[in-house]
Every structure is written in structure tokens, then in C-alpha cells.
């Protein structure tokens, strides 16, 4: 096993996926805490699943397969139980004669191979696949398991469906505490959290109603309703999440925030919890932070080649300000993280101030603001400047004081990256002016503004081709040389994409470069539309332009582009 790990390490280093210093750090953790090298690398977000599988393949000499392109034999479902498939991360692919081919995340797990051989009475032929592909295949093959768990919970608690917790506040808390320690409540809560991770949800919502409970998952930016627990189990499930987050289960009058870690499919997932009192109990919002799902590579986020080069050029400058703008959930912070990762080096002192810190960036000093004790963005920025930073990332410019400090930092020899909540790139400049920033100061420090959205990508497992109506195609310029509508792609909907027709998201963006003409317009406080039109004449592609280009490339759909670019300023 040691020799195998060494071959995997050599493969990772030779491919340039890790530096020797990063590898030594992970090995030090492994020596003290134990665990597999692959799991530790994934938990820290140092390598993607695809890169790790490629290195394992090189180390063990077994080529990987792409499960998403294979049709699995549903007749093999009875051979291997779902729990066993989850435990050892494997899925049966085919059976020829007395040989059963199994896709595994770890084809050298001798213990799992022996169990399978004994259970099936067949000879086992293992092949390599990514853990993500195996998890997706298990959900498609067996189902997610949450629905079955919920039905089981309902059956077990039917006799107590009218039980109401009564008594003084202290006794209520004690009863809730006892309930949260019961197996059915633990199993139900774990199933809901597990489903959120397997659906690749960014948020989970548990919303109590008068006679029911609603559970919803935000997948690729769109809410989907899921199986809900019985109403009488709502207080226990909410309290269970509070206990996991180390919150006070007796407090029902004030909002509470917390976080906890939970292991799903051998991965440690970070959950950020917000509980808001409502008329029928606590509304729970859980942010799911799966480090293994986030790819902080600026080249793979979806920017056009032109915008990508502009952003990279700005990020490599020694001083100035680069702004990312868009509504909540448009990927602004991920873009800035990816740029920081690109420019990070031992020669640079990089400091971030965020609310909250969402992901740990190795080699970067990250500060979490705490407004309840007076640690605001502006106050933290003042302290950061005394730390002699080269690069500063401000999580969000929310007020005039923070804007003033960020601009002064950029004017005094620092590279400043930050975000703003505006609908367009041009609108961010106007927003700074409206905050009281002098136009000449903005012109002196702002290099570029990128406005962005996230659009859902067509599911690669269920694409279907179609042609839009001719009138619409002509209006949008989606016609060929003969004037006929271009052939486009949309998702038909399958189990892999939960019938949505989409899987994953990518960026559409517009990048406003501060040219002499643009600076002149800002200096005379021109309106947003005028700044936008001037930038378009100089070659800036708008959000709608970039979105339509992705439609033509069969990456997304017209519906997605229209949904995400409503309200765009068009000249």
C-alpha cells in the first residue's frame, strides 16, 4: 500500500497538480490524523476528482472509465445492495458469464473485492471511475434513498402523530433534546443533509407551515421542492440541526447563525446554518459548502477568451482596483478566489476580508468580519494596511466608508479586488459615484469591472436538438447564411439531472475596461446607459451577447439566457 501511495504521489507531482510543499503538508496531517491520502487531498480542495483519478490511474496502471457515457444494466441492482455500493463507492456495470465488472473509486480495495466475490459467487473485475461519477450513478441506479427514509419515518411515528410538546420552556428544551437523540430523528436529518449534497445543492431550506413542513433545495441557482418530514417531527429536526451547529435549542425569539461539518460519501462537507424565527417555528437555511465541488480555476469558469485575458492582465498588475459585480449568487466571490489562486506566490502577501470566509485558500491570510463586535469591513481594512499587504480582497463594498478605504488602498500601491451588488458593469461605477466617491478618484484606481451571472448548462446525458421559431431566431441573430434558424440544444430531462434538463453552471460575463473615453464619461457623471453604450462601441460584449454565444455553442439554452439577463441595460 505504501508503494502504491508513493506512485500516486509521484504522479501528482509529475503532473504539476501539487507542489512538494503542499504534498508534505498533507502527508504531515496523514501521519498525525490517519485517513487516506485521496480523502485528505479532496477535503482540502487541493486537486479535483478528475485530476486525482488520473493520478491514481497512472499509479495503479488501470485506465479510468467515464460512467456518464455508459448504460448500466438495471438487472444487476439485486446483486449489490445500495448501502454496500455507497460504503465502498462502487457500482456494477455488466456481467459476462461468471465475471462481474464493477466500477470503483478504489479498485485495489481487497476487502471490498472479497465481500463482492463472496456475496455474488462471481469473479470480480474492477475498473476505475471518479467518486463523483459513482455517486451520481448510485443515485440514478438505486435512487437517493431519502424518500424511502421519509416513508419509514412516517410509518414509525404514525401512532405519535398528534403528540404536542407542552410545559415550561425548560421542560420543552429537555423534551426536544431527548427527541434529537433518538435514532429516527438522527436518521431523517442525516438523510435530508445527504440528499442536499448528492443533488449538488448550494442551499437547503426547511420552512415550517401551519399544517406542514416544506423542504427545498437550491440546485444550480433554482429551487426544487423535496420530500418533507411529518409536521410533528419539525421541531426535533430543526433542533437536531441547531445541536449540530452548537446553537441554543431553547432560543426561539432571536435569529441564530452557526456551522458544522458532516461527512457524506467519505467527504467532509461544511454547512453554514441560519435560523430565523417565524410564525410556525424556525425557518432554517443551510448553505452547503462542498470543497470538492468548487474548482478555483479561472480558465474553467466560463469566461470568453477575450474577457479571460483582460481579467488575467488586470490581476497581474501591481496596483489598482478590479471589481466583480452582479446579484447574490452570481459567482462573484468564486471569480475573485480563482484570480487570487492564479496570482498567489510566496513573494506576495495576500489578505482577504470577508463576511463570511467561505473557503480556505492555502497561502492566503483570510479575515472574517464580525459586525456585532464592531469588526466591520472598513475597520478591518485599516488594520490590514498596517500588515503590509500586496493584494487585498474586500468581500463586498457595502457603504461609503468601505468604498473610501478600498479606493485609498488601490491608490497607495495595493492591488484591490472587491465585489458590488449592481445589475451591470457600468452600473457599478455609477454606484460608487452615488456613494460619494469622487469621479477622478475612481478613474485613478479602477482598472476594470466584470459583470457576471451564472447560467445552467445543458445536461450532457439527455440533450435534444431543436430549431427555434424563425421570427425569434432572426431577431436574436441565430440564423445561418441562408437565413434559416440554427440548430440548438436543450435538455430533455433525466434522472441524472432530476428531470431539470440542466447539470452544473458556468459564467456569462461582460468586462468593462476603463478606456480614456469611459473615464471621460465618468468624470462628467454620465448616466449608466451612456457608459454602457460607449463600452459596447469599444468592443465590450454584454451579458446577453455572451449568453447567446453559449447558446450557439450548445452549452446553455435561450430560456436560461433570458432568465438571467432580464433587466440588462441595452442601448
Amino acid at each position: 500500500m505504501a508503494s502504491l501511495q508513493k506512485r500516486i504521489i509521484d504522479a501528482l507531482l509529475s503532473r504539476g497538480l501539487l507542489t512538494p510543499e503542499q504534498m508534505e503538508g498533507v502527508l504531515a496531517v496523514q501521519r498525525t490524523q490517519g485517513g487516506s491520502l485521496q480523502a485528505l487531498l479532496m477535503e482540502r480542495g487541493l486537486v479535483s476528482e478528475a485530476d486525482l483519478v488520473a493520478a491514481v490511474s497512472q499509479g495503479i496502471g488501470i485506465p479510468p472509465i467515464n460512467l456518464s457515457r455508459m448504460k448500466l444494466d438495471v438487472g444487476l441492482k439485486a446483486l449489490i445492495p445500495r448501502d454496500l455500493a455507497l460504503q465502498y463507492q462502487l457500482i456494477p456495470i455488466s456481467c459476462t458469464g461468471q465475471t462481474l465488472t464493477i466500477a470503483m473509486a478504489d479498485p485495489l480495495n481487497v476487502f471490498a473485492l472479497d465481500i463482492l466475490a463472496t456475496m455474488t459467487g462471481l469473479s470480480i473485475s474492477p475498473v476505475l471511475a471518479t467518486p463523483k461519477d459513482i455517486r451520481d450513478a448510485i443515485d440514478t441506479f438505486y435512487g437517493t434513498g431519502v424518500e424511502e427514509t421519509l416513508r419509514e419515518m412516517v410509518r414509525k411515528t404514525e401512532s405519535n402523530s398528534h403528540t404536542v410538546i407542552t410545559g415550561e420552556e425548560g421542560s420543552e428544551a429537555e423534551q426536544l433534546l431527548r427527541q434529537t437523540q433518538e435514532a429516527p430523528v438522527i436518521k431523517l436529518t442525516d438523510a435530508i443533509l445527504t440528499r442536499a449534497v448528492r443533488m449538488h445543492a448550494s442551499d437547503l431550506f426547511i420552512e415550517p407551515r401551519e399544517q406542514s413542513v416544506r423542504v427545498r433545495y437550491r440546485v444550480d441557482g433554482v429551487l426544487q421542492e423535496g420530500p418533507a418530514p411529518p409536521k410533528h417531527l419539525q421541531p426535533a429536526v430543526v433542533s437536531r440541526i441547531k445541536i449540530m451547529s452548537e446553537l441554543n435549542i431553547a432560543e426561539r425569539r432571536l435569529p441564530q447563525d452557526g456551522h458544522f461539518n458532516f461527512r457524506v460519501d467519505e467527504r467532509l462537507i461544511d454547512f453554514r446554518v441560519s435560523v430565523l424565527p417565524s410564525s410556525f417555528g424556525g425557518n432554517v437555511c443551510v448553505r452547503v459548502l462542498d470543497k470538492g465541488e468548487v474548482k478555483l480555476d479561472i480558465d474553467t469558469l466560463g469566461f470568453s477568451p477575450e474577457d479571460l485575458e483582460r481579467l488575467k492582465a488586470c490581476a497581474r498588475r501591481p496596483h489598482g482596483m478590479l471589481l466583480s459585480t452582479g446579484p447574490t449568487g452570481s459567482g462573484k466571490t468564486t471569480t475573485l478566489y480563482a484570480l487570487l489562486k492564479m496570482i498567489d506566490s510566496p513573494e506576495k502577501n495576500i489578505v482577504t476580508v470577508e463576511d463570511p470566509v467561505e473557503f480556505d485558500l492555502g497561502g492566503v491570510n483570510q479575515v472574517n468580519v464580525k459586525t456585532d463586535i464592531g469588526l466591520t469591513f472598513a475597520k478591518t481594512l485599516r488594520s490590514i494596511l498596517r500588515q503590509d499587504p500586496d493584494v487585498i480582497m474586500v468581500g463586498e463594498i457595502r457603504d461609503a466608508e468601505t468604498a473610501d478605504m478600498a479606493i485609498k488602498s488601490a491608490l497607495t500601491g495595493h492591488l484591490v479586488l472587491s465585489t458590488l451588488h449592481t445589475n451591470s458593469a457600468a452600473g457599478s461605477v455609477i454606484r460608487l459615484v452615488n456613494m460619494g466617491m469622487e469621479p477622478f478618484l475612481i478613474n485613478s484606481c479602477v482598472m476594470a469591472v466584470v459583470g457576471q451571472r451564472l447560467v445552467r448548462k445543458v445536461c450532457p446525458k439527455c440533450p435534444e436538438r431543436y430549431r427555434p421559431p424563425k421570427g425569434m431566431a432572426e431577431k436574436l441573430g441565430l440564423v445561418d447564411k441562408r437565413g434559416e434558424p440554427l440548430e440548438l440544444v436543450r435538455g430533455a430531462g433525466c434522472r441524472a439531472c432530476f428531470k431539470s434538463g440542466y447539470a452544473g453552471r458556468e459564467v456569462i460575463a461582460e468586462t468593462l475596461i476603463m478606456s480614456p473615453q469611459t473615464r471621460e464619461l465618468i468624470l462628467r457623471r454620465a448616466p449608466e446607459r451612456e457608459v454602457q453604450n460607449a463600452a459596447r462601441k469599444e468592443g465590450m460584449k454584454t451579458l446577453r451577447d455572451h449568453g447567446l454565444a453559449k447558446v450557439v455553442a450548445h452549452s446553455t439554452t435561450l430560456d436560461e439566457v433570458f432568465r438571467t439577463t432580464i433587466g440588462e441595460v441595452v442601448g
Side-chain angles (χ1 to χ4, degrees):
M1 188 62 67
S3 61
L4 171 61
Q5 177 165 304
K6 185 178 185 306
R7 292 201 300 271
I8 294 174
I9 291 172
D10 291 342
L12 288 168
L13 294 176
S14 66
R15 289 169 173 262
L17 299 173
L18 288 176
T19 65
E21 293 77 14
Q22 289 174 319
M23 181 60 74
E24 183 53 42
V26 174
L27 292 175
V29 173
Q30 186 187 37
R31 285 192 290 268
T32 57
Q33 298 181 4
S36 73
L37 176 67
Q38 294 96 308
L40 290 172
L41 290 170
M42 290 298 299
E43 285 177 9
R44 283 155 179 75
L46 294 175
V47 294
S48 67
E49 281 192 346
D51 288 338
L52 184 57
V53 166
V56 172
S57 172
Q58 180 177 329
I60 65 179
I62 297 178
I65 63 168
N66 188 342
L67 274 179
S68 64
R69 297 183 178 180
M70 299 191 67
K71 185 175 181 180
L72 303 180
D73 184 355
V74 293
L76 301 176
K77 188 186 299 186
L79 288 177
I80 300 175
R82 184 180 189 278
D83 290 344
L84 189 69
L86 279 174
Q87 181 180 355
Y88 294 110
Q89 295 188 63
L90 53 87
I91 191 83
I93 296 177
S94 63
C95 185
T96 305
Q98 292 297 306
T99 300
L100 178 64
T101 302
I102 302 287
M104 303 177 67
D106 182 6
L108 298 185
N109 188 331
V110 179
F111 184 67
L113 294 174
D114 287 344
I115 290 178
L116 293 176
T118 303
M119 177 185 299
T120 63
L122 300 170
S123 175
I124 306 299
S125 174
V127 294
L128 181 65
T130 68
K132 179 182 182 301
D133 279 355
I134 290 176
R135 290 192 300 271
D136 290 345
I138 288 174
D139 287 345
T140 303
F141 203 57
Y142 297 97
T144 61
V146 177
E147 292 84 352
E148 293 80 359
T149 300
L150 284 171
R151 285 195 290 269
E152 181 185 348
M153 294 303 100
V154 172
R155 287 196 303 270
K156 288 184 177 181
T157 58
E158 253 180 355
S159 59
N160 298 322
S161 60
H162 300 292
T163 300
V164 179
I165 298 175
T166 59
E168 299 298 324
E169 188 170 325
S171 63
E172 286 187 34
E174 291 172 2
Q175 290 182 57
L176 275 174
L177 182 60
R178 285 196 298 271
Q179 273 194 298
T180 61
Q181 295 170 343
E182 294 174 357
V185 172
I186 294 174
K187 188 174 182 180
L188 178 56
T189 307
D190 290 355
I192 292 173
L193 295 172
T194 299
R195 188 172 196 263
V197 174
R198 290 184 185 155
M199 289 180 70
H200 313 296
S202 59
D203 300 274
L204 159 68
F205 300 90
I206 301 176
E207 304 161 316
R209 297 292 181 262
E210 186 174 7
Q211 301 294 333
S212 62
V213 185
R214 182 165 67 174
V215 175
R216 295 192 290 174
Y217 304 85
R218 190 180 296 280
V219 180
D220 294 334
V222 177
L223 286 173
Q224 299 181 18
E225 194 158 355
K231 174 65 177 177
H232 64 279
L233 284 183
Q234 168 214 316
V237 171
V238 172
S239 296
R240 173 67 186 168
I241 291 177
K242 282 186 175 182
I243 288 174
M244 294 172 76
S245 309
E246 298 183 353
L247 301 178
N248 182 4
I249 65 172
E251 178 57 72
R252 301 180 186 175
R253 301 163 299 174
L254 298 173
Q256 297 186 77
D257 297 307
H259 67 92
F260 65 91
N261 294 322
F262 182 68
R263 192 171 291 276
V264 177
D265 299 332
E266 301 304 316
R267 293 176 296 152
L268 196 62
I269 311 297
D270 190 16
F271 294 87
R272 306 288 173 87
V273 177
S274 173
V275 183
L276 181 68
S278 69
S279 301
F280 307 112
N283 269 21
V284 179
C285 174
V286 182
R287 172 63 60 89
V288 184
L289 298 174
D290 186 355
K291 297 178 182 179
E293 289 291 307
V294 176
K295 299 174 177 60
L296 298 179
D297 183 352
I298 193 66
D299 293 319
T300 62
L301 295 184
F303 288 98
S304 67
E306 298 82 7
D307 285 351
L308 192 60
E309 289 308 311
R310 292 168 181 166
L311 288 176
K312 287 182 176 180
C314 290
R316 292 188 178 110
R317 294 183 185 178
H319 55 80
M321 180 181 285
L322 174 62
L323 295 174
S324 177
T325 184
T328 300
S330 58
K332 302 184 298 296
T333 302
T334 300
T335 295
L336 297 188
Y337 275 175
L339 288 172
L340 289 180
K341 184 177 179 182
M342 181 194 76
I343 63 176
D344 183 28
S345 69
E347 293 79 26
K348 289 183 178 178
N349 180 17
I350 301 177
V351 185
T352 75
V353 49
E354 306 169 62
D355 182 22
V357 173
E358 293 192 11
F359 291 97
D360 295 329
L361 295 173
V364 175
N365 304 300
Q366 297 173 271
V367 181
N368 201 346
V369 302
K370 298 178 181 178
T371 54
D372 54 336
I373 61 172
L375 188 62
T376 62
F377 277 108
K379 188 172 183 178
T380 306
L381 266 175
R382 291 191 186 93
S383 299
I384 285 176
L385 291 175
R386 293 193 286 270
Q387 296 281 320
D388 191 26
D390 299 298
V391 182
I392 303 171
M393 187 189 103
V394 183
E396 181 185 347
I397 295 179
R398 295 177 177 173
D399 49 50
E401 187 180 11
T402 305
D404 182 61
M405 286 299 303
I407 287 176
K408 288 179 179 176
S409 300
L411 290 172
T412 54
H414 304 89
L415 176 64
V416 178
L417 285 70
S418 189
T419 71
L420 271 173
H421 283 276
T422 58
N423 289 326
S424 67
S428 62
V429 178
I430 308 304
R431 174 79 181 278
L432 289 174
V433 173
N434 292 338
M435 281 183 176
M437 302 300 105
E438 291 293 340
F440 73 89
L441 290 177
I442 298 173
N443 282 342
S444 298
C445 67
V446 177
M447 301 177 290
V449 184
V450 54
Q452 66 179 71
R453 302 287 190 277
L454 292 177
V455 293
R456 292 181 292 174
K457 298 191 291 185
V458 175
C459 176
K461 297 183 181 180
C462 59
E464 65 176 20
R465 297 178 179 272
Y466 76 104
R467 294 183 188 274
K470 189 168 184 178
M472 176 188 291
E474 289 174 344
K475 185 177 180 180
L476 297 174
L478 302 178
V479 292
D480 58 22
K481 295 179 180 179
R482 300 173 300 168
E484 294 299 317
L486 295 173
E487 189 176 66
L488 307 180
V489 167
R490 60 191 172 196
C494 62
R495 290 194 63 178
C497 62
F498 298 93
K499 304 296 182 181
S500 68
Y502 298 96
R505 290 190 291 176
E506 63 181 352
V507 165
I508 59 172
E510 57 184 20
T511 302
L512 173 64
I513 299 296
M514 302 296 284
S515 67
Q517 183 180 357
T518 305
R519 295 184 193 278
E520 176 62 30
L521 292 173
I522 294 171
L523 202 58
R524 62 180 178 85
R525 300 175 186 265
E528 177 182 348
R529 185 182 299 273
E530 195 172 341
V531 175
Q532 178 97 328
N533 289 339
R536 293 186 71 181
K537 290 178 181 177
E538 293 179 343
M540 183 187 81
K541 300 296 184 182
T542 66
L543 292 167
R544 180 70 60 86
D545 295 333
H546 192 195
L548 291 177
K550 288 186 178 292
V551 170
V552 173
H554 295 174
S555 180
T556 190
T557 65
L558 284 173
D559 288 343
E560 271 298 284
V561 174
F562 293 150
R563 180 181 69 86
T564 54
T565 59
I566 290 176
E568 179 188 8
V569 176
V570 180

